[in-house]
Amino acid sequence: MRATVIHAPHDIRVEDVPDPVVRFPTDAVVRVLRACICGSDLWAYRGESAREPGQRIGHEFLGVVEEAGAEVNGFLAGDLVVAPFVWSDGNCEYCAEGLQTSCPQGGFWGSVGSDGGQGEAVRVPFADGTLVKLPAAAASDDHLLTALLALSDVLGTGHHAAVGAGVKRGSTVAVVGDGAVGLCGVLAAKRLGAERIIALGRHQVRTDIARTFGATDVVAERGEAAVDAVRELTRGQGAHAVIEAVGTEQSMRTAVEITRDGGAVGYVGVPHGSGTGLDLSVMFDRNIALRGGVAPVRAYIPELLPDVLSGAVDPSPVFDLTVGIDGVPGGYKAMDDRTALKVLIKP
Amino acid sequence: MRATVIHAPHDIRVEDVPDPVVRFPTDAVVRVLRACICGSDLWAYRGESAREPGQRIGHEFLGVVEEAGAEVNGFLAGDLVVAPFVWSDGNCEYCAEGLQTSCPQGGFWGSVGSDGGQGEAVRVPFADGTLVKLPAAAASDDHLLTALLALSDVLGTGHHAAVGAGVKRGSTVAVVGDGAVGLCGVLAAKRLGAERIIALGRHQVRTDIARTFGATDVVAERGEAAVDAVRELTRGQGAHAVIEAVGTEQSMRTAVEITRDGGAVGYVGVPHGSGTGLDLSVMFDRNIALRGGVAPVRAYIPELLPDVLSGAVDPSPVFDLTVGIDGVPGGYKAMDDRTALKVLIKP
């Protein structure tokens, strides 16, 4: 099959690789219908996260079960399924608690020896614990299929940030980061009943999507000016709940500064300097909490799925460029250049 | 009156100062029956927190109302009262939410121009918002009076840490710090229903108190060895809820490392390097939350008071040395040398 391989920073190729097969009886093989490129893939693309040359890449996909191992009980060949960005056994203490990202047998697509999502098919370990079934009818609904793909990462990750930030009915929420996760954070905050949602971002195409998703205010400034603007919108206090969806020192610093005393920063931006942006003295004096991390998306899919199926929540606008499998390297470049927000792959 | 004054690091004196008077109609003057020295006072004593020469010091006291301003409605001369370590107006949005430490009109005892707790009397701003009445009978019960003094800071601060760490019925809790706050954290965790409480500490006198307060296990190791010991006690996982009651880089690092995936660090140690001990990548991968800060003790006193009055919660063992007002400088030295855990002052 054809799959995406990373050889070095900025060296993404689509190559012929061995077809995946059921290796363990709990495996399934999924033929990919939709995949995409994540903002976090860019850390590897830019060489800021280490990869071994030849590693697969991509961790978001949905598709059709092609073969299920003898011990897979929940899926049959032909089932339409979505995969979260981490596989998990579904049996351990952490899986039972909904923290599948801490499953001792879990792992990330594209880690050494594993298939990545940006290919024609994927061997899925622990299929019963990992995959979630989708209605068969969705397979013929192009728009819905794209929306459902967001369940594999960005929508669940935005939701995790909103939960971490403590968004509830009536909250004032601020979102730092205008990438797909930040935008899904807006969507999730709206879904959880936020009354006011302030989106921070300079790119009008993106902030326009934020408004569609429920943002009531947009702050285009950065750094101290952004902090001042948010404070002005919130009677000098800041937002109850702040979503940090970038991961840099500056974004975390801004997030802390715009949080209201007693509020929380829900962070899902993979840390690339963001630890340095945490001013603990400020957080201490103002009782600002920090909660988040790698999102246990598998736990959230059952909760979010009905709203995506009904159309009440539609994250599909975050995908603004579609490519075939051979267009993946160009897709990375487009996202790195910020000419694309999030690239959809139809292998 | 006589009051404690800090002139420079290690230069604590007891001096004659002007008697406090009602300056604003919302003030009260309280004659101090009991005060004490806080571990956090040592940051000033050691020169690690800046003070202007001549500032008063001390922020924990209880006593009898001597005079109440014309607009004070809740207190009369003769009332027995306890003061939290921050005064607050009782009227603002933050006070209403129970975050009195963020009251815009609030302040700390001993800040420039204000009385400190380690003196014979204190002018209390916003008496109605700040003070909490105690049963008159307590005034003649020496043991109870000492226990009630802990409501001014350490018991409420330990409770804040336990709440921040998310302690609930059945939790496994670990406590980093064997000072009075850490020990009160043990007490608070026990009160909230923790099933297992692991106290980290090397001083047997203190860990013996921890056991009296409800600790089920004691870990005397430090650093990596302490982490290994806690993991061994928790099936390799760590504790659901970790109380960080020190504030240094090492204590925070240990706290994060011994937290179970998905758990939280409740931190109340005034940050003195602890920000550097936060490894955000570890916290991200393991979904470890951080929640705490300066404790809104005023909000907790009404909840904790009945249990102190009934004797169900007795924090008095944290006071292991009693001095009169002239003994305060020696009390600082004893706490700095760690020959005393917490010094009680009977002015």
Side-chain angles (χ1 to χ4, degrees), chain A residues 59-62 75 80-88 98 100 109 127-135 147-157 159-160 191 295-309 313:
Chain A
H59 54 262
E60 300 155 286
F61 63 96
L62 59 70
F75 302 96
L80 183 68
V81 291
V82 62
F85 67 88
V86 163
W87 74 76
S88 53
Q100 288 88 344
W109 312 112
D128 281 331
T130 303
L131 299 171
V132 178
K133 203 179 291 193
L134 301 172
L148 289 167
L149 176 63
L151 289 168
S152 67
D153 183 348
V154 286
L155 183 56
T157 296
H159 177 71
H160 189 55
R191 182 178 168 278
V297 162
R298 177 62 185 79
Y300 297 136
I301 296 176
E303 178 185 347
L304 298 170
L305 178 57
D307 285 351
V308 177
L309 289 173
V313 168

Side-chain angles (χ1 to χ4, degrees), chain A residues 93-94 97 99 102 160 235 237 260-262 267-269 271 274-275 280 283-285 287 289-294, chain B residues 93-94 97 99 102 160 235 237 260-262 267-269 271 274-275 280 283-285 287 289-294:
Chain A
E93 220 172 312
Y94 289 109
E97 290 170 20
L99 193 66
S102 288
H160 189 55
R235 299 177 296 126
Q237 294 186 342
R260 186 176 183 273
D261 290 24
Y267 76 115
V268 289
S274 45
L280 200 63
M283 295 170 72
F284 183 88
D285 289 347
N287 271 282
L290 176 75
R291 196 168 46 191
V294 55
Chain B
E93 221 172 310
Y94 290 109
E97 291 170 19
L99 194 66
S102 289
H160 190 54
R235 298 178 297 128
Q237 294 185 342
R260 185 175 184 274
D261 290 22
Y267 76 114
V268 288
S274 45
L280 200 64
M283 294 170 71
F284 183 88
D285 289 347
N287 270 282
L290 177 74
R291 195 166 48 191
V294 55

Side-chain angles (χ1 to χ4, degrees), chain B:
Chain B
M1 69 160 176
R2 308 272 290 159
T4 307
V5 177
I6 180 163
H7 287 273
H10 298 92
D11 183 359
I12 297 274
R13 304 181 208 167
V14 176
E15 297 177 353
D16 287 315
V17 301
D19 284 333
V21 294
V22 167
R23 202 184 303 166
F24 300 100
T26 49
D27 288 352
V29 170
V30 171
R31 173 76 33 190
V32 176
L33 289 181
R34 294 282 184 283
C36 52
I37 304 174
C38 184
S40 68
D41 292 329
L42 297 181
W43 293 117
Y45 183 73
R46 293 170 182 156
E48 295 180 61
S49 294
R51 289 292 183 279
E52 289 184 20
Q55 251 182 273
R56 304 286 180 82
I57 192 164
H59 54 262
E60 301 154 284
F61 64 96
L62 58 70
V64 174
V65 175
E66 200 165 69
E67 193 190 346
E71 290 174 22
V72 174
N73 297 311
F75 302 96
L76 295 171
D79 281 346
L80 184 69
V81 291
V82 63
F85 68 87
V86 164
W87 73 75
S88 52
D89 67 15
N91 293 316
C92 72
E93 221 172 310
Y94 290 109
C95 284
E97 291 170 19
L99 194 66
Q100 288 89 344
T101 46
S102 289
C103 172
Q105 301 202 84
F108 288 84
W109 312 112
S111 55
V112 177
S114 302
D115 292 323
Q118 293 158 6
E120 291 178 324
V122 176
R123 181 182 73 84
V124 175
F126 304 105
D128 281 331
T130 304
L131 298 171
V132 178
K133 201 180 290 192
L134 301 172
S140 56
D141 184 336
D142 187 68
H143 183 93
L144 179 58
L145 217 50
T146 302
L148 289 166
L149 176 63
L151 289 167
S152 67
D153 184 346
V154 286
L155 184 57
T157 296
H159 177 71
H160 190 54
V163 169
V167 176
K168 53 186 187 221
R169 198 153 295 283
S171 295
T172 293
V173 180
V175 180
V176 181
D178 60 4
V181 170
L183 293 173
C184 285
V186 172
L187 210 49
K190 174 77 178 172
R191 181 178 168 278
L192 291 169
E195 188 177 298
R196 193 164 189 188
I197 303 173
I198 304 165
L200 281 74
R202 289 174 305 156
H203 300 264
Q204 206 194 325
V205 174
R206 299 177 178 210
T207 54
D208 284 350
I209 298 174
R211 286 195 192 271
T212 311
F213 282 4
T216 52
D217 302 89
V218 166
V219 165
E221 289 84 355
R222 299 191 83 181
E224 274 310 305
V227 172
D228 292 345
V230 174
R231 291 196 168 271
E232 192 154 320
L233 289 168
T234 54
R235 298 178 297 128
Q237 294 185 342
H240 300 107
V242 176
I243 290 174
E244 193 287 307
V246 182
T248 62
E249 178 181 348
Q250 178 59 52
S251 63
M252 187 61 94
R253 195 172 295 283
T254 300
V256 169
E257 287 182 4
I258 64 177
T259 306
R260 185 175 184 274
D261 290 22
V265 175
Y267 76 114
V268 288
V270 183
H272 283 84
S274 45
T276 315
L278 288 171
D279 187 333
L280 200 64
S281 294
V282 169
M283 294 170 71
F284 183 88
D285 289 347
R286 307 208 286 113
N287 270 282
I288 294 172
L290 177 74
R291 195 166 48 191
V294 55
V297 162
R298 178 62 185 79
Y300 298 136
I301 296 176
E303 179 184 347
L304 299 170
L305 178 57
D307 285 351
V308 177
L309 289 173
S310 75
V313 169
D314 180 10
S316 65
V318 300
F319 298 102
D320 61 346
L321 176 64
T322 303
V323 298
I325 187 75
D326 291 316
V328 171
Y332 273 84
K333 187 168 185 323
M335 279 180 64
D336 189 38
D337 294 344
R338 290 178 74 90
T339 57
L341 170 52
K342 190 167 178 71
V343 173
L344 180 70
I345 303 166
K346 295 181 174 180

